[in-house]
């Protein structure tokens, strides 16, 4: 009897990137791809604008920013260690005089396609329309690759626009951050056109209880359609005033099946998820209205499909793979969030050349709050590590607090 199992292995990352730190960002991207390689994910989705860092501000208006981003792509597509994995990379792309916030998908040295963001975040702390334009409609166009990219594997162009990617087992699509928050989400069109996996790459900054909104939106998206929705978020401060708390996770048919940490101190996080596609297909078959909607949508709308059917997402030994099962999200109280977010922001900013933390001795609420946040920062870093690493952690913490890179835990003060 023929086996009908269709297990796929995928991954999403959360990186502590820094604006305009192309070399450091490249190193962390490479680590995020190689770190889970022993677990065998065949797609690795990265965060929004991770190559240059999200908070570049007016540097986006400089042509060098786009050029250096492509130079990072060149490094990645030439690295044979990263072959046999579909890479989903975030960077700015200029096309016909317009700058787009894009995902560039790569496999074995080839650019599979470029997917621009359709909805700009332009409220609250976001000012994306100062730099980027949104991609209109579901059309696709031909993008001419930079000469130094095209010459490597003799690929002069690729598609840019709204598209799906068909592998040997399934179809998947991508969207970017704000696309998930709008009334007309791109993932609706992609699911109706047959996508079973959607990846959302975000730089969603911290605000109180915002994590609940993300969880509800992703759960709703995968429940209504029947499918897998992967959400990967940046973490750290990106040399910015904002703090990104991370929390990468996957939802399958409305249930969370894998998640990573919020408020993490790790520079690189990579979450691997193993999914049985037949669970998605069974869920879809049980929703008659969705099947009818898909049939109508496919007759009225045509989305570009990129053929990657020569590539399989199935692990080498699928029957030895443990499927990701439903889990519960951790809940944070308001007080815990208020303690954690400023502390993690301080920890990240202290990686830059600073003069430590200097609260006044007035004993008022301002200086008292800063002292409490610094204490929380030190305690969090200390207790999350094993005992054998704590001496080094103590040294790092003291070096940060007193801005003394030569600090030794044996120094007498």
């Amino acid at each position: 009897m023929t086996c009908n199992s269709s297990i796929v292995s995928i991954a999403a990352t959360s990186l502590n990137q820094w604006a305009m730190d192309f070399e450091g960002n490249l190193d962390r991207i490479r680590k995020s791809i190689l770190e889970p390689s022993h677990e065998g994910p065949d797609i690795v989705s990265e965060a929004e604008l991770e190559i240059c860092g999200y908070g570049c501000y007016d540097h986006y208006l400089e042509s060098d920013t786009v050029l250096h981003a492509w130079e990072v792509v060149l490094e990645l597509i030439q690295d044979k260690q990263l072959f046999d994995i579909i890479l989903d990379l975030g960077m700015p792309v200029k096309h016909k005089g317009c700058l787009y916030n894009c995902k560039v998908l790569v496999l074995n040295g080839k650019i599979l396609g470029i997917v621009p963001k359709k909805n700009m975040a332009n409220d609250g702390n976001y000012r994306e329309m100062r730099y980027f334009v949104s991609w209109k409609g579901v059309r696709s166009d031909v993008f001419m690759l930079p000469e130094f990219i095209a010459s490597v594997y003799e690929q002069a162009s690729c598609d840019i626009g709204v598209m799906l990617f068909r592998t040997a087992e399934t179809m998947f699509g991508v969207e970017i951050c704000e696309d998930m928050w709008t009334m007309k989400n791109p993932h609706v069109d992609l699911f109706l056109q047959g996508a079973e996996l959607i990846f959302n790459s975000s730089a969603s900054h911290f605000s109180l209880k915002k994590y609940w909104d993300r969880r509800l939106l992703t759960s709703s998206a995968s429940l209504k359609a029947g499918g897998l929705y992967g959400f990967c978020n940046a973490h750290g401060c990106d040399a910015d005033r904002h703090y990104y708390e991370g929390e990468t996770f996957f939802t399958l048919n409305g249930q969370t099946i894998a998640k990573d940490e919020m408020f993490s101190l790790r520079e690189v996080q990579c979450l691997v998820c193993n999914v049985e596609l037949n669970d998605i297909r069974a869920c879809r078959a049980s929703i008659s209205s969705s099947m009818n909607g898909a049939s109508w949508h496919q007759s009225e709308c045509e989305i570009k499909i990129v053929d990657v059917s020569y590539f399989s997402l199935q692990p080498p030994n699928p029957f030895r793979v443990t499927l990701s099962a439903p889990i519960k999200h951790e809940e944070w109280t308001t007080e815990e969030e208020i303690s954690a977010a400023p502390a993690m922001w301080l920890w990240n900013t202290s990686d830059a050349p600073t003069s430590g933390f200097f609260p006044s001795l007035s004993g008022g609420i301002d200086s008292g709050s800063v002292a409490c946040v610094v204490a929380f920062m030190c305690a969090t870093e200390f207790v999350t590590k094993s005992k054998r690493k704590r001496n080094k952690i103590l040294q790092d913490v003291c070096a940060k607090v007193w801005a003394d890179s030569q600090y030794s835990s044996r120094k007498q003060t």
Side-chain angles (χ1 to χ4, degrees), residues 161-173:
V162 179
M163 63 190 76
L164 286 165
F165 300 86
R166 178 187 285 127
T167 67
E169 298 84 9
T170 186
M171 284 203 296
F172 72 91

Side-chain angles (χ1 to χ4, degrees), residues 130-255:
R130 178 178 173 87
Y131 320 109
F132 302 108
V133 295
S134 59
W135 189 264
K136 308 300 189 294
V138 295
R139 64 187 175 88
S140 63
D141 200 357
V142 176
F143 177 80
M144 301 307 297
L145 293 166
E147 176 60 30
F148 63 90
I149 296 284
S151 62
V152 176
Y153 293 103
E154 299 182 351
Q155 180 188 2
S157 65
C158 67
D159 290 313
I160 183 172
V162 179
M163 63 190 76
L164 286 165
F165 300 86
R166 178 187 285 127
T167 67
E169 298 84 9
T170 186
M171 284 203 296
F172 72 91
V174 299
E175 62 181 13
I176 305 172
C177 198
E178 187 72 11
D179 290 338
M180 180 180 75
W181 297 81
T182 61
M183 294 180 66
K184 191 176 188 318
N185 313 106
H187 68 248
V188 173
D189 291 331
L190 299 176
F191 273 139
L192 289 172
Q193 287 288 318
E196 294 178 321
L197 316 173
I198 299 292
F199 299 95
N200 181 296
S201 301
S202 289
S204 183
H205 66 72
F206 167 81
S207 64
L208 286 174
K209 300 305 176 189
K210 189 177 180 181
Y211 69 89
W212 272 115
D213 296 333
R214 300 189 199 107
R215 295 172 185 178
L216 289 171
L217 288 168
T218 56
S219 175
S220 173
S222 65
L223 178 62
K224 288 188 297 184
L228 179 87
Y229 196 103
F231 176 84
C232 60
N233 191 24
H235 76 272
C237 69
D238 194 32
D240 200 350
R241 295 170 298 165
H242 309 144
Y243 175 71
Y244 306 91
E245 75 267 40
E247 194 182 42
T248 292
F249 56 91
F250 290 97
T251 61
L252 175 66
N253 301 336
Q255 293 184 300

Side-chain angles (χ1 to χ4, degrees), residues 260-273:
D260 219 328
E261 298 176 63
M262 285 176 63
F263 305 114
S264 173
L265 291 162
R266 290 182 290 156
E267 281 204 324
V268 175
Q269 295 185 87
C270 190
L271 179 66
V272 178
C273 179

